[in-house]
C-alpha cells in the first residue's frame, strides 16, 4: 500500500497526544483511588468498577481518528481488474509423444479435457483462437468470440509426428496480427502446451524474439513426466518432457512457465493462466475502506459507551 498524500499523516500527532493524555488521566484516577486506605470498606461501599470495559470506547474513538487520517492520506493498493478485451491464442501440441500414458488416460486426452475447461472459463468478450502443431503448425480456428468453434476443433484434433514449437508461436502471432488491425489493438497472449523439444521448423529462440518484439507474451506449459514412453514400430521409445526449452521460451517472450505432471495439475495451471490473462493489475485508491472502518469504529465507541455507561463518549 502506498499513500498519495502522506502529508495528512501529520494529523496523527494530535491523535497520539490525545492517547497519551488519556493514559495519564487514567493513571491519575487510579492514584486517587489508592488514597482511600480502608480497602475493605471501599469494596463494600463502592460499586464494582467497569474494569477493562472503560477503555473500549476510548480505544474505538482513537481508532476512528487514526483510520480517518489514513483515509485523508489517500492510500492506494494494486487491484485485479477484469480486462474488457483480449486476444488469446491456445497453441496445442499434437505430436505423437502426446499419446504417452504417463498421464492418465494419456497425455493427449487429459490435455484436451483441460484445454476445453480453459476455453469455457474465459470471458465471452475475449477473442480466442487455436493453433495445432506437430511437424507443422496450422491455425485450426482464427481468433474470435465463437467458443463452440474452438471446442469442436479441439474434439477433432489427432496426433502425428514432429514438434514445431517455434512454428506454433509464429502461426499464433500471424493470427493475432490478422485480427488486430485497429490502432489500439487489445492485449494478446499465447498459451502454448507441449511435452517435447523443438524438432523442426524455426527455432524456439527465434520465435521468442519475434514474440517479444511484437509485445505478445508466451506462457508455456511443460506437460508430462520424465517417464513417458510411446510405442513406435513395435518398440518402446522414451518421450520425456523437455521443461528447460519451454521455460526459456516463456522467459524470453515475457510470459509465465508452468509444469504439469497430471491432468489435475494441468487443470490448475489453466485456471491460474485464465486468471492472469483475464485480469490486469491497476493501482486504485482505497480511502473509502478506511473511512468505512472509521465509521464502524465510531459506532462501536458509541454503542459500548451507552450500554455500559449510559452516556455517549
Amino acid at each position: 500500500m502506498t499513500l498519495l498524500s502522506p502529508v495528512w499523516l501529520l494529523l496523527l500527532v494530535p491523535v497520539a497526544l490525545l492517547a497519551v493524555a488519556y493514559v495519564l488521566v487514567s493513571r491519575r484516577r487510579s492514584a486517587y483511588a489508592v488514597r482511600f486506605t480502608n480497602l475493605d470498606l471501599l469494596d463494600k461501599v463502592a460499586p464494582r468498577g467497569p474494569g477493562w470495559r472503560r477503555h473500549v470506547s476510548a480505544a474505538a474513538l482513537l481508532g476512528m481518528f487514526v483510520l480517518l487520517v489514513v483515509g485523508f492520506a489517500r492510500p492506494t493498493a494494486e487491484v485485479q481488474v477484469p480486462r474488457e478485451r483480449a486476444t488469446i491464442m491456445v497453441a496445442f501440441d499434437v505430436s505423437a509423444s502426446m499419446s504417452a500414458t504417463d498421464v492418465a488416460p494419456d497425455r493427449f486426452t487429459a490435455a484436451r479435457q483441460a484445454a476445453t475447461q480453459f476455453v469455457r472459463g474465459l470471458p465471452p468478450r475475449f477473442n480466442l483462437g487455436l493453433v495445432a502443431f506437430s511437424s507443422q503448425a496450422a491455425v485450426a480456428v482464427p481468433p474470435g468470440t465463437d467458443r463452440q468453434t474452438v471446442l469442436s476443433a479441439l474434439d477433432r484434433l489427432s496426433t502425428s509426428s514432429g514438434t514445431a514449437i517455434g512454428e506454433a508461436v509464429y502461426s499464433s502471432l500471424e493470427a493475432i496480427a490478422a485480427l488486430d488491425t485497429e490502432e489500439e489493438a487489445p492485449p494478446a497472449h499465447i498459451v502454448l502446451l507441449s511435452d517435447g523439444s523443438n524438432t523442426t521448423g524455426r527455432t524456439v529462440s527465434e520465435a521468442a524474439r519475434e514474440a517479444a518484439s511484437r509485445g505478445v507474451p508466451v506462457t508455456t506449459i511443460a506437460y508430462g513426466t520424465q517417464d513417458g514412453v510411446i510405442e513406435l514400430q513395435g518398440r518402446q521409445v522414451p518421450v520425456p518432457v523437455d521443461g528447460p526449452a519451454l521455460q526459456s521460451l516463456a522467459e524470453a517472450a515475457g510470459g509465465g512457465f508452468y509444469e504439469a505432471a497430471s491432468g489435475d495439475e494441468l487443470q490448475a495451471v489453466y485456471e491460474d493462466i485464465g486468471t492472469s490473462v483475464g485480469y490486469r493489475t491497476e493501482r486504485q485508491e482505497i480511502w473509502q475502506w478506511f473511512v468505512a472502518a472509521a465509521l464502524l469504529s465510531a459506532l462501536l465507541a458509541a454503542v459500548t459507551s451507552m450500554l455500559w455507561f449510559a452516556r455517549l463518549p
Side-chain angles (χ1 to χ4, degrees):
M1 186 182 73
T2 58
L3 303 174
L4 297 180
S5 303
V7 68
W8 285 97
L9 294 181
L10 292 175
L11 289 178
L12 290 177
V13 174
V15 176
L17 293 176
L18 182 60
V20 171
Y22 177 79
V23 172
L24 293 177
V25 170
S26 298
R27 288 183 176 179
R28 188 176 181 183
R29 288 177 179 173
S30 299
Y32 281 141
V34 172
R35 290 180 184 177
F36 196 99
T37 57
N38 193 337
L39 298 181
D40 292 334
L41 179 60
L42 178 63
D43 184 59
K44 293 179 180 180
V45 300
R48 184 173 297 276
W52 60 269
R53 293 184 301 174
R54 64 191 178 92
H55 300 300
V56 173
S57 299
L61 196 62
L62 288 171
M64 179 199 70
F65 291 144
V66 171
L67 290 167
L68 284 177
V69 169
V70 176
F72 286 144
R74 299 174 62 192
T76 65
E78 290 187 347
V79 180
Q80 292 287 94
V81 179
R83 295 185 187 273
E84 296 181 0
R85 299 176 59 204
T87 299
I88 311 298
M89 291 299 300
V90 175
F92 196 94
D93 188 347
V94 293
S95 60
S97 58
M98 288 289 285
S99 62
T101 57
D102 55 333
V103 177
D106 57 70
R107 292 179 182 178
F108 182 72
T109 301
R112 187 164 55 183
Q113 292 172 349
T116 297
Q117 293 301 316
F118 173 70
V119 169
R120 289 174 175 165
L122 285 175
R125 61 188 178 276
F126 280 21
N127 295 312
L128 177 67
L130 176 66
V131 167
F133 66 96
S134 52
S135 59
Q136 296 179 334
V139 178
V141 180
T145 57
D146 186 353
R147 297 292 184 266
Q148 189 55 50
T149 302
V150 178
L151 294 174
S152 298
L154 282 171
D155 289 337
R156 293 193 300 268
L157 294 179
S158 59
T159 59
S160 59
S161 61
T163 307
I165 296 175
E167 295 299 328
V169 175
Y170 273 97
S171 295
S172 299
L173 292 172
E174 293 306 317
I176 293 170
L179 174 70
D180 297 337
T181 57
E182 307 172 21
E183 291 185 3
E184 292 187 9
H189 204 112
I190 298 173
V191 179
L192 185 146
L193 177 143
S194 181
D195 65 349
S197 304
N198 192 61
T199 60
T200 185
R202 283 169 283 192
T203 66
V204 169
S205 58
E206 288 178 306
R209 286 195 297 269
E210 184 65 21
S213 67
R214 300 193 190 191
V216 179
V218 180
T219 290
T220 59
I221 307 171
Y223 184 49
T225 70
Q226 298 301 316
D227 302 323
V229 176
I230 62 171
E231 185 172 341
L232 187 63
Q233 296 179 349
R235 60 191 181 91
Q236 298 291 312
V237 179
V239 285
V241 65
D242 186 2
L246 295 171
Q247 184 175 11
S248 64
L249 169 59
E251 291 176 349
F257 169 70
Y258 296 85
E259 293 179 292
S262 68
D264 290 338
E265 287 184 8
L266 181 59
Q267 184 63 53
V269 166
Y270 270 127
E271 290 176 0
D272 189 52
I273 293 173
T275 300
S276 64
V277 301
Y279 293 81
R280 66 180 185 276
T281 301
E282 288 186 356
R283 183 163 290 279
Q284 296 182 354
E285 292 191 41
I286 55 172
W287 58 267
Q288 61 271 23
W289 294 102
F290 287 87
V291 173
L295 292 176
L296 290 176
S297 186
L299 181 62
L300 175 63
V303 170
T304 55
S305 182
M306 287 189 293
L307 287 178
W308 293 337
F309 311 110
R311 59 182 175 81
L312 289 173

